[in-house]
Amino acid sequence: MKTHSITGGGGIQLHVEETGNPQGQAVLFLHGYSQCGLSWGKQMGSDLENDHRLVTMDLRGHGRSEKPKDAYGDSKLWADDVSSVIGTLGLDHPILCGWSYGALVILDYLRSHGDADIGGINFVCGLTKLGSDEAMAVVAPEFLALVPGFFSTDFEQSIGSLESLIRMCFTRELRPMNIIRC
């Protein structure tokens, strides 16, 4: 596994990892909110690496990438992060694969940079709209009640909201260690 520090939009440093066949079709994996590139561990360690160049990046503010204070509201910065990874690593028409919030980052990229430099897109349970009636129609009130906590600077409130979200995703009661792992 190779690791890279790549300068993204606005000059922040992004943590990027790659494995697989350097001559193979590149796949750039983009994780969801409050995750990191490790969420693609099963793909990175799979038979895909025989024929593909597999790349993960920790999105800005996530994992081992930099966490600037005020660099999240401009969708062009997110798009430029993806473009920087593609350009710096010389990825030839990669397939962009976005899980959850990662799909929105792909859409940011397409709006800013177009599709000429990519080979395709794949949304895995991806969000494609925020703030519209269509998007809100599929979001439960219980989830919406947690959102302020996700962005809280109060540690206990933030962790409490994330723990509640994890519990919502399972039909059975989780042991404390499983919640920590999530």
Side-chain angles (χ1 to χ4, degrees):
M1 184 89 58
K2 294 181 188 176
T3 61
H4 306 277
S5 181
I6 294 176
T7 302
I12 71 158
Q13 293 303 299
L14 302 168
H15 178 79
V16 178
E17 295 184 351
E18 72 171 293
T19 190
N21 181 346
Q23 310 310 313
Q25 169 68 54
V27 180
L28 176 56
F29 294 103
L30 305 170
H31 61 79
Y33 173 76
S34 195
Q35 298 294 315
C36 69
L38 292 174
S39 41
W40 298 104
K42 295 283 188 185
Q43 289 76 18
M44 296 294 281
S46 73
D47 289 343
L48 287 172
E49 65 184 359
N50 295 332
D51 298 314
H52 296 83
R53 184 178 181 187
L54 306 175
V55 181
T56 64
M57 63 182 279
D58 289 351
L59 298 177
R60 61 180 45 236
H62 294 76
R64 289 181 271 177
S65 288
E66 275 190 302
K67 295 154 186 69
K69 289 194 182 276
D70 298 324
Y72 301 100
D74 183 354
S75 64
K76 178 128 176 39
L77 292 173
W78 296 83
D80 290 347
D81 292 347
V82 174
S83 180
S84 292
V85 171
I86 292 170
T88 301
L89 295 181
L91 302 180
D92 183 24
H93 293 87
I95 296 168
L96 303 181
C97 182
W99 170 49
S100 188
Y101 191 82
L104 288 174
V105 176
I106 291 172
L107 294 173
D108 291 340
Y109 174 85
L110 291 171
R111 272 190 298 278
S112 292
H113 298 278
D115 63 1
D117 292 331
I118 63 169
I121 60 173
N122 181 23
F123 294 158
V124 180
C125 296
L127 295 173
T128 57
K129 294 181 179 182
L130 286 178
S132 67
D133 290 340
E134 296 87 1
M136 299 312 290
V138 297
V139 178
E142 295 83 3
F143 174 81
L144 290 176
L146 297 175
V147 171
F150 296 157
F151 300 99
S152 174
T153 57
D154 178 80
F155 175 78
E156 289 185 19
Q157 183 181 8
S158 181
I159 292 300
S161 291
L162 288 172
E163 182 177 330
S164 294
L165 174 64
I166 291 165
R167 290 181 188 282
M168 276 185 198
C169 294
F170 294 90
T171 57
R172 61 181 170 78
E173 185 63 28
L174 295 175
R175 293 190 311 235
M177 184 51 74
N178 289 339
I179 292 172
I180 292 169
R181 286 183 183 132
C182 288

